[in-house]
Amino acid sequence: MKKTALLATALAAALSMGLSTAEAKTFRWAASWDVLSMDPHALNSTSSMAFLNNVYEALVRFDNGMKIEPALAESWQQLDPTTWRFKLRQGVKFHDGHPFTADDVVFSWARANTPGGLVMSVIGDIQDIRKVDDYSVDVITREPFPILLRVLSYLYVMDKEWSEANGATASSDLKANRENFANRNANGTGPFKLKLREIDTRTVLEVNPDWWDKRTHNVDEVVFTPIKSDATRTSSLLSGAIDAMVSVPLQDLQRLGGDPNVVIYQGPELRTIYIGMDVARDELLYSNVKGKNPLKDARVRQAIYAAIDAEAIKRAVMRGKSWPTGIILSPYLSGFPEGLEARLPTDPAAAKKLLAEAGYAGGFSIGLACPNDRYVYDEAICLAVTSMLAKIGIKVEPQIEPGTKWLQRLNTQDVSLFLMGHAALPTADVYSTLVEALSAGGGLNAGRWSDPAYEALLPQIKRETDETKRKALIKQAMTIVREQTPVIPLHQQPVTWAARKGVQLEQNPANLLRVWHVNLP
């Protein structure tokens, strides 16, 4: 009987282990990039930070509609124009069991301010973070700052005790190639723990059973593999070696979509694609018009706009997966000014009339700088625009190049016409696009458009905390842009993911895969 009992116990244990193994679910996914570091303060990369959001958390986070929701902070209130008080969530633990408190928030702010803290490029408008009590902190900004919550979503909280114990009280410095323990190890409060980190090979996460939030996923383990080769990534999904990928090679969409075991996920991205124009030079670099710049004339810019049919591009180029727009802002961005999103009519006849009025009845030639590996169907878009402008007498000479060369052109303003896209990340607020793509000092304003009335609105938009007043200011600014037409909006491009049949993903306009929304069959 004793022997029988022992055998029964062993069999039960074996069955239990087998059941546990059978129920454990591993999510295997891939992208064309690897996470740059496990140190959240050493980064200013939206893809790397998105991955780390499975491990680390901030006071607030984005939901799948790009709205702010509570995370490590339960609530907040604005005490005065520059001071916000955050009530922290109690009972939260780091992965090693240490309790989360205000000390960790204050420490993380100080750590982000150390050399190497690239995250400061996003959160630099914060002046200080101070402890009120164990579960309250005050965040002080340099001036009234309406997008504070969105900025705070980028400040991930690290464990003060763990960092001190492992000599990681300062940020890793990726530019100086200075690492510390946090560069390859992690200890957050998020839904998954870091289990294994093999740079450029794989990163493995395991579920955090003590996560404070409600578990709605069924993933126990995550294996992330960076696969740079498009062909290998596609083959891996088709063979079942991975469950999903976010960097879907566009040339493989038809092949993937034709496999009954693969599902394509496509939805609107925050990124808006548009045509920019050199409106600053007295003579264009790439044109047969000498001694003057036709793009300085608003009628010429409006003619180019009227000749481009974004709906035709949607049908013929984007395979129905684009969202034509009248402004270079996604409706998912905070501060989006409703009422301006409809595109102006496509009218080649009116475009020819505008060109004639401007003195270019015979048209002219012009170069169009375009990448062939950066945006969805970017080269095909440029070729479609070339054909459309030819109908009104403008001969476009496409300058189609790899993204690295195209970007160099933009950075040196070596352009006449150029294809461009902007997603307003990481804040997902319109102010980012207004400044970076359209202001006089904007790093992406390769056309160097400038307008005093527009520039005067930007400081007001940055400071205005009343949402209604702020949207009115934004609408004023975008009305100026719409009237002067320094850029020609085309569409929001699609976020494209692919997964094995039965894998449930929740896509979002920021193109960020968050594993705590994944369910496996």
Side-chain angles (χ1 to χ4, degrees), residues 433-459:
T433 300
L434 299 186
V435 172
E436 293 178 10
L438 293 168
S439 77
L444 298 178
N445 184 7
R448 292 179 292 169
W449 173 72
S450 180
D451 178 82
Y454 175 86
E455 297 293 333
L457 289 167
L458 295 182

PDB file of all heavy atoms in Angstrom, residues 433-459:
ATOM      1  N   THR A 433       4.216  68.308 -33.585  1.00  0.00           N
ATOM      2  CA  THR A 433       4.225  68.528 -35.030  1.00  0.00           C
ATOM      3  C   THR A 433       4.278  70.016 -35.354  1.00  0.00           C
ATOM      4  O   THR A 433       4.986  70.440 -36.278  1.00  0.00           O
ATOM      5  CB  THR A 433       2.985  67.892 -35.674  1.00  0.00           C
ATOM      6  OG1 THR A 433       2.989  66.484 -35.420  1.00  0.00           O
ATOM      7  CG2 THR A 433       2.973  68.112 -37.178  1.00  0.00           C
ATOM      8  N   LEU A 434       3.524  70.820 -34.613  1.00  0.00           N
ATOM      9  CA  LEU A 434       3.513  72.262 -34.868  1.00  0.00           C
ATOM     10  C   LEU A 434       4.910  72.848 -34.783  1.00  0.00           C
ATOM     11  O   LEU A 434       5.284  73.719 -35.575  1.00  0.00           O
ATOM     12  CB  LEU A 434       2.600  72.976 -33.865  1.00  0.00           C
ATOM     13  CG  LEU A 434       1.118  72.600 -33.854  1.00  0.00           C
ATOM     14  CD1 LEU A 434       0.337  73.501 -32.916  1.00  0.00           C
ATOM     15  CD2 LEU A 434       0.527  72.674 -35.252  1.00  0.00           C
ATOM     16  N   VAL A 435       5.693  72.376 -33.821  1.00  0.00           N
ATOM     17  CA  VAL A 435       7.040  72.917 -33.622  1.00  0.00           C
ATOM     18  C   VAL A 435       8.048  72.259 -34.558  1.00  0.00           C
ATOM     19  O   VAL A 435       8.789  72.937 -35.274  1.00  0.00           O
ATOM     20  CB  VAL A 435       7.479  72.742 -32.151  1.00  0.00           C
ATOM     21  CG1 VAL A 435       8.941  73.108 -31.977  1.00  0.00           C
ATOM     22  CG2 VAL A 435       6.617  73.608 -31.242  1.00  0.00           C
ATOM     23  N   GLU A 436       8.083  70.927 -34.562  1.00  0.00           N
ATOM     24  CA  GLU A 436       9.136  70.228 -35.301  1.00  0.00           C
ATOM     25  C   GLU A 436       8.989  70.342 -36.811  1.00  0.00           C
ATOM     26  O   GLU A 436       9.981  70.477 -37.533  1.00  0.00           O
ATOM     27  CB  GLU A 436       9.160  68.753 -34.892  1.00  0.00           C
ATOM     28  CG  GLU A 436       9.586  68.524 -33.453  1.00  0.00           C
ATOM     29  CD  GLU A 436       9.545  67.058 -33.054  1.00  0.00           C
ATOM     30  OE1 GLU A 436       9.366  66.209 -33.947  1.00  0.00           O
ATOM     31  OE2 GLU A 436       9.690  66.769 -31.861  1.00  0.00           O
ATOM     32  N   ALA A 437       7.752  70.302 -37.306  1.00  0.00           N
ATOM     33  CA  ALA A 437       7.551  70.251 -38.755  1.00  0.00           C
ATOM     34  C   ALA A 437       7.226  71.600 -39.376  1.00  0.00           C
ATOM     35  O   ALA A 437       7.409  71.782 -40.589  1.00  0.00           O
ATOM     36  CB  ALA A 437       6.429  69.265 -39.083  1.00  0.00           C
ATOM     37  N   LEU A 438       6.749  72.572 -38.554  1.00  0.00           N
ATOM     38  CA  LEU A 438       6.237  73.806 -39.147  1.00  0.00           C
ATOM     39  C   LEU A 438       6.822  75.098 -38.601  1.00  0.00           C
ATOM     40  O   LEU A 438       6.665  76.148 -39.222  1.00  0.00           O
ATOM     41  CB  LEU A 438       4.705  73.849 -38.989  1.00  0.00           C
ATOM     42  CG  LEU A 438       3.930  72.793 -39.789  1.00  0.00           C
ATOM     43  CD1 LEU A 438       2.479  72.739 -39.328  1.00  0.00           C
ATOM     44  CD2 LEU A 438       3.993  73.097 -41.282  1.00  0.00           C
ATOM     45  N   SER A 439       7.487  75.052 -37.455  1.00  0.00           N
ATOM     46  CA  SER A 439       8.008  76.306 -36.899  1.00  0.00           C
ATOM     47  C   SER A 439       9.319  76.696 -37.578  1.00  0.00           C
ATOM     48  O   SER A 439       9.996  75.861 -38.186  1.00  0.00           O
ATOM     49  CB  SER A 439       8.221  76.185 -35.395  1.00  0.00           C
ATOM     50  OG  SER A 439       9.389  75.446 -35.103  1.00  0.00           O
ATOM     51  N   ALA A 440       9.695  77.960 -37.415  1.00  0.00           N
ATOM     52  CA  ALA A 440      10.907  78.470 -38.066  1.00  0.00           C
ATOM     53  C   ALA A 440      12.146  77.690 -37.634  1.00  0.00           C
ATOM     54  O   ALA A 440      13.054  77.478 -38.429  1.00  0.00           O
ATOM     55  CB  ALA A 440      11.075  79.959 -37.753  1.00  0.00           C
ATOM     56  N   GLY A 441      12.182  77.260 -36.377  1.00  0.00           N
ATOM     57  CA  GLY A 441      13.344  76.520 -35.884  1.00  0.00           C
ATOM     58  C   GLY A 441      13.144  75.027 -35.832  1.00  0.00           C
ATOM     59  O   GLY A 441      13.971  74.304 -35.261  1.00  0.00           O
ATOM     60  N   GLY A 442      12.086  74.536 -36.452  1.00  0.00           N
ATOM     61  CA  GLY A 442      11.772  73.113 -36.384  1.00  0.00           C
ATOM     62  C   GLY A 442      12.792  72.260 -37.106  1.00  0.00           C
ATOM     63  O   GLY A 442      13.161  72.553 -38.253  1.00  0.00           O
ATOM     64  N   GLY A 443      13.237  71.200 -36.458  1.00  0.00           N
ATOM     65  CA  GLY A 443      14.252  70.337 -37.039  1.00  0.00           C
ATOM     66  C   GLY A 443      13.803  69.608 -38.297  1.00  0.00           C
ATOM     67  O   GLY A 443      14.632  69.161 -39.091  1.00  0.00           O
ATOM     68  N   LEU A 444      12.483  69.476 -38.492  1.00  0.00           N
ATOM     69  CA  LEU A 444      11.965  68.776 -39.665  1.00  0.00           C
ATOM     70  C   LEU A 444      11.344  69.732 -40.679  1.00  0.00           C
ATOM     71  O   LEU A 444      10.721  69.297 -41.645  1.00  0.00           O
ATOM     72  CB  LEU A 444      10.939  67.725 -39.234  1.00  0.00           C
ATOM     73  CG  LEU A 444      11.486  66.621 -38.317  1.00  0.00           C
ATOM     74  CD1 LEU A 444      10.383  65.669 -37.917  1.00  0.00           C
ATOM     75  CD2 LEU A 444      12.618  65.855 -39.000  1.00  0.00           C
ATOM     76  N   ASN A 445      11.499  71.029 -40.448  1.00  0.00           N
ATOM     77  CA  ASN A 445      10.966  72.032 -41.369  1.00  0.00           C
ATOM     78  C   ASN A 445      11.984  72.285 -42.480  1.00  0.00           C
ATOM     79  O   ASN A 445      12.586  73.354 -42.572  1.00  0.00           O
ATOM     80  CB  ASN A 445      10.656  73.324 -40.608  1.00  0.00           C
ATOM     81  CG  ASN A 445      10.010  74.386 -41.484  1.00  0.00           C
ATOM     82  OD1 ASN A 445       9.662  74.133 -42.643  1.00  0.00           O
ATOM     83  ND2 ASN A 445       9.857  75.583 -40.944  1.00  0.00           N
ATOM     84  N   ALA A 446      12.180  71.270 -43.317  1.00  0.00           N
ATOM     85  CA  ALA A 446      13.192  71.358 -44.370  1.00  0.00           C
ATOM     86  C   ALA A 446      12.835  72.386 -45.428  1.00  0.00           C
ATOM     87  O   ALA A 446      13.708  72.873 -46.149  1.00  0.00           O
ATOM     88  CB  ALA A 446      13.388  69.989 -45.018  1.00  0.00           C
ATOM     89  N   GLY A 447      11.559  72.745 -45.524  1.00  0.00           N
ATOM     90  CA  GLY A 447      11.141  73.775 -46.478  1.00  0.00           C
ATOM     91  C   GLY A 447      11.330  75.179 -45.959  1.00  0.00           C
ATOM     92  O   GLY A 447      11.177  76.154 -46.699  1.00  0.00           O
ATOM     93  N   ARG A 448      11.635  75.292 -44.638  1.00  0.00           N
ATOM     94  CA  ARG A 448      11.938  76.556 -43.963  1.00  0.00           C
ATOM     95  C   ARG A 448      10.829  77.602 -44.111  1.00  0.00           C
ATOM     96  O   ARG A 448      11.083  78.789 -44.254  1.00  0.00           O
ATOM     97  CB  ARG A 448      13.278  77.105 -44.449  1.00  0.00           C
ATOM     98  CG  ARG A 448      14.462  76.241 -44.018  1.00  0.00           C
ATOM     99  CD  ARG A 448      15.770  76.775 -44.527  1.00  0.00           C
ATOM    100  NE  ARG A 448      15.871  76.664 -45.979  1.00  0.00           N
ATOM    101  CZ  ARG A 448      16.813  77.238 -46.713  1.00  0.00           C
ATOM    102  NH1 ARG A 448      17.728  77.974 -46.136  1.00  0.00           N
ATOM    103  NH2 ARG A 448      16.836  77.084 -48.026  1.00  0.00           N
ATOM    104  N   TRP A 449       9.593  77.134 -44.047  1.00  0.00           N
ATOM    105  CA  TRP A 449       8.466  78.066 -44.017  1.00  0.00           C
ATOM    106  C   TRP A 449       8.449  78.787 -42.684  1.00  0.00           C
ATOM    107  O   TRP A 449       8.768  78.217 -41.638  1.00  0.00           O
ATOM    108  CB  TRP A 449       7.150  77.305 -44.200  1.00  0.00           C
ATOM    109  CG  TRP A 449       5.931  78.167 -44.016  1.00  0.00           C
ATOM    110  CD1 TRP A 449       5.479  79.139 -44.865  1.00  0.00           C
ATOM    111  CD2 TRP A 449       5.003  78.134 -42.928  1.00  0.00           C
ATOM    112  NE1 TRP A 449       4.332  79.711 -44.376  1.00  0.00           N
ATOM    113  CE2 TRP A 449       4.028  79.117 -43.188  1.00  0.00           C
ATOM    114  CE3 TRP A 449       4.917  77.383 -41.758  1.00  0.00           C
ATOM    115  CZ2 TRP A 449       2.952  79.352 -42.315  1.00  0.00           C
ATOM    116  CZ3 TRP A 449       3.855  77.622 -40.890  1.00  0.00           C
ATOM    117  CH2 TRP A 449       2.891  78.593 -41.168  1.00  0.00           C
ATOM    118  N   SER A 450       8.056  80.057 -42.694  1.00  0.00           N
ATOM    119  CA  SER A 450       7.957  80.831 -41.458  1.00  0.00           C
ATOM    120  C   SER A 450       6.867  81.876 -41.616  1.00  0.00           C
ATOM    121  O   SER A 450       6.709  82.474 -42.690  1.00  0.00           O
ATOM    122  CB  SER A 450       9.295  81.511 -41.142  1.00  0.00           C
ATOM    123  OG  SER A 450       9.204  82.271 -39.953  1.00  0.00           O
ATOM    124  N   ASP A 451       6.115  82.080 -40.542  1.00  0.00           N
ATOM    125  CA  ASP A 451       5.051  83.079 -40.559  1.00  0.00           C
ATOM    126  C   ASP A 451       4.952  83.700 -39.168  1.00  0.00           C
ATOM    127  O   ASP A 451       4.780  82.975 -38.182  1.00  0.00           O
ATOM    128  CB  ASP A 451       3.716  82.433 -40.934  1.00  0.00           C
ATOM    129  CG  ASP A 451       2.578  83.435 -40.917  1.00  0.00           C
ATOM    130  OD1 ASP A 451       2.421  84.163 -41.906  1.00  0.00           O
ATOM    131  OD2 ASP A 451       1.871  83.494 -39.880  1.00  0.00           O
ATOM    132  N   PRO A 452       5.054  85.023 -39.038  1.00  0.00           N
ATOM    133  CA  PRO A 452       5.048  85.676 -37.722  1.00  0.00           C
ATOM    134  C   PRO A 452       3.791  85.396 -36.905  1.00  0.00           C
ATOM    135  O   PRO A 452       3.876  85.180 -35.690  1.00  0.00           O
ATOM    136  CB  PRO A 452       5.175  87.162 -38.066  1.00  0.00           C
ATOM    137  CG  PRO A 452       5.801  87.199 -39.427  1.00  0.00           C
ATOM    138  CD  PRO A 452       5.292  85.986 -40.134  1.00  0.00           C
ATOM    139  N   ALA A 453       2.628  85.408 -37.547  1.00  0.00           N
ATOM    140  CA  ALA A 453       1.384  85.166 -36.809  1.00  0.00           C
ATOM    141  C   ALA A 453       1.343  83.740 -36.266  1.00  0.00           C
ATOM    142  O   ALA A 453       0.893  83.498 -35.134  1.00  0.00           O
ATOM    143  CB  ALA A 453       0.182  85.429 -37.716  1.00  0.00           C
ATOM    144  N   TYR A 454       1.827  82.804 -37.069  1.00  0.00           N
ATOM    145  CA  TYR A 454       1.890  81.402 -36.633  1.00  0.00           C
ATOM    146  C   TYR A 454       2.862  81.251 -35.471  1.00  0.00           C
ATOM    147  O   TYR A 454       2.543  80.628 -34.454  1.00  0.00           O
ATOM    148  CB  TYR A 454       2.311  80.523 -37.811  1.00  0.00           C
ATOM    149  CG  TYR A 454       2.520  79.068 -37.456  1.00  0.00           C
ATOM    150  CD1 TYR A 454       1.457  78.175 -37.460  1.00  0.00           C
ATOM    151  CD2 TYR A 454       3.778  78.583 -37.115  1.00  0.00           C
ATOM    152  CE1 TYR A 454       1.642  76.836 -37.143  1.00  0.00           C
ATOM    153  CE2 TYR A 454       3.979  77.264 -36.800  1.00  0.00           C
ATOM    154  CZ  TYR A 454       2.909  76.390 -36.808  1.00  0.00           C
ATOM    155  OH  TYR A 454       3.104  75.069 -36.477  1.00  0.00           O
ATOM    156  N   GLU A 455       4.042  81.829 -35.613  1.00  0.00           N
ATOM    157  CA  GLU A 455       5.070  81.721 -34.566  1.00  0.00           C
ATOM    158  C   GLU A 455       4.584  82.305 -33.254  1.00  0.00           C
ATOM    159  O   GLU A 455       4.898  81.793 -32.175  1.00  0.00           O
ATOM    160  CB  GLU A 455       6.355  82.428 -35.010  1.00  0.00           C
ATOM    161  CG  GLU A 455       7.022  81.843 -36.234  1.00  0.00           C
ATOM    162  CD  GLU A 455       7.599  80.451 -36.015  1.00  0.00           C
ATOM    163  OE1 GLU A 455       7.948  80.123 -34.861  1.00  0.00           O
ATOM    164  OE2 GLU A 455       7.706  79.693 -36.997  1.00  0.00           O
ATOM    165  N   ALA A 456       3.802  83.388 -33.311  1.00  0.00           N
ATOM    166  CA  ALA A 456       3.311  84.036 -32.094  1.00  0.00           C
ATOM    167  C   ALA A 456       2.341  83.155 -31.318  1.00  0.00           C
ATOM    168  O   ALA A 456       2.191  83.295 -30.095  1.00  0.00           O
ATOM    169  CB  ALA A 456       2.640  85.366 -32.447  1.00  0.00           C
ATOM    170  N   LEU A 457       1.697  82.224 -32.017  1.00  0.00           N
ATOM    171  CA  LEU A 457       0.730  81.339 -31.360  1.00  0.00           C
ATOM    172  C   LEU A 457       1.398  80.192 -30.602  1.00  0.00           C
ATOM    173  O   LEU A 457       0.826  79.670 -29.641  1.00  0.00           O
ATOM    174  CB  LEU A 457      -0.242  80.768 -32.397  1.00  0.00           C
ATOM    175  CG  LEU A 457      -1.250  81.755 -32.993  1.00  0.00           C
ATOM    176  CD1 LEU A 457      -1.922  81.152 -34.212  1.00  0.00           C
ATOM    177  CD2 LEU A 457      -2.294  82.157 -31.943  1.00  0.00           C
ATOM    178  N   LEU A 458       2.589  79.796 -31.008  1.00  0.00           N
ATOM    179  CA  LEU A 458       3.220  78.606 -30.435  1.00  0.00           C
ATOM    180  C   LEU A 458       3.476  78.716 -28.928  1.00  0.00           C
ATOM    181  O   LEU A 458       3.150  77.779 -28.183  1.00  0.00           O
ATOM    182  CB  LEU A 458       4.514  78.281 -31.178  1.00  0.00           C
ATOM    183  CG  LEU A 458       4.349  77.872 -32.647  1.00  0.00           C
ATOM    184  CD1 LEU A 458       5.697  77.529 -33.258  1.00  0.00           C
ATOM    185  CD2 LEU A 458       3.397  76.682 -32.779  1.00  0.00           C
ATOM    186  N   PRO A 459       4.046  79.818 -28.420  1.00  0.00           N
ATOM    187  CA  PRO A 459       4.245  79.909 -26.964  1.00  0.00           C
ATOM    188  C   PRO A 459       2.923  79.860 -26.194  1.00  0.00           C
ATOM    189  O   PRO A 459       2.873  79.323 -25.085  1.00  0.00           O
ATOM    190  CB  PRO A 459       4.945  81.259 -26.776  1.00  0.00           C
ATOM    191  CG  PRO A 459       5.540  81.580 -28.101  1.00  0.00           C
ATOM    192  CD  PRO A 459       4.608  80.992 -29.107  1.00  0.00           C
TER     193      PRO A 459
END
